[in-house]
Amino acid sequence: MRVEYINPFVETSYRVLKEVLGGADVKRGNLYLKSTAMPVMGVAALVGLAGDVEGRVLFDMTMETAINIASKMNGEQLTSFDDLAKATISELANLITAQAVTKLHELNFKFDLTPPALFAGQQMEIAALGGNQTENVEALIVPLITEYGKIEVNVAIRERA
């Protein structure tokens, strides 16, 4: 996985989170690679990528973090992961990926993204399978820690063969 694909997602995630959380402190945790299927924390917004590259970007967080962030972004205290909270987290994923893809297009990488798909629940697992459906695609995990909770930006991208 080339760093040129990853950096725009990491930089944009950091900048957009800082902006939508009213200038809140956002710290980047230690990056790590994960090559196997991994459980998600409770709420995951998934955006697919297709074109010169294929893969996906996953924004993973606990239910509590999702409600906290949606509350801050809407300027009101939400008490459950309702339709407004779901739409807000989807829009956050959309903002980040759209801006990252714009940066990548400026670097002459051409690909499109799917609208965010939102998953919520306990004991879910996301597997990034390769073309032959047996080989896992390596994912880079970038933890972003805020006062509202931790979001893991999970990027699994590869060039088309």
Side-chain angles (χ1 to χ4, degrees), residues 14-36:
Y14 176 87
R15 189 175 37 75
V16 169
L17 271 176
K18 198 164 185 61
E19 183 181 311
V20 301
L21 297 177
D25 196 23
V26 178
K27 289 185 173 60
R28 192 169 90 184
N30 292 327
L31 308 167
Y32 62 97
L33 288 171
K34 187 94 172 166
S35 61
T36 57

Side-chain angles (χ1 to χ4, degrees), residues 54 129-135 137 158:
E54 60 186 8
L129 299 175
N132 63 9
Q133 299 302 308
T134 58
E135 163 199 345
V137 176
R158 66 178 182 184

Side-chain angles (χ1 to χ4, degrees), residues 44-48 57 59 86-98 113-119:
L46 178 91
V47 178
V57 180
F59 301 92
K86 290 174 186 171
T88 303
I89 296 302
S90 291
E91 184 55 28
L92 176 62
N94 220 16
L95 277 169
I96 292 169
T97 51
L113 50 105
T114 64
L118 196 65
F119 301 91

Side-chain angles (χ1 to χ4, degrees), residues 67-79 82 84:
I67 293 168
N68 289 343
I69 289 173
S71 294
K72 177 64 177 172
M73 287 177 67
N74 285 292
E76 63 181 271
Q77 183 57 50
L78 304 177
T79 56
D82 60 11
L84 178 59

Side-chain angles (χ1 to χ4, degrees), residues 3 5-16 28 31 96 100 103 140-144 153 155:
V3 71
Y5 300 140
I6 305 302
N7 280 342
F9 289 100
V10 175
E11 292 165 7
T12 303
S13 297
Y14 176 87
R15 189 175 37 75
V16 169
R28 192 169 90 184
L31 308 167
I96 292 169
K103 281 187 176 189
L140 177 72
I141 314 300
V142 184
L144 296 172
V153 182
V155 184

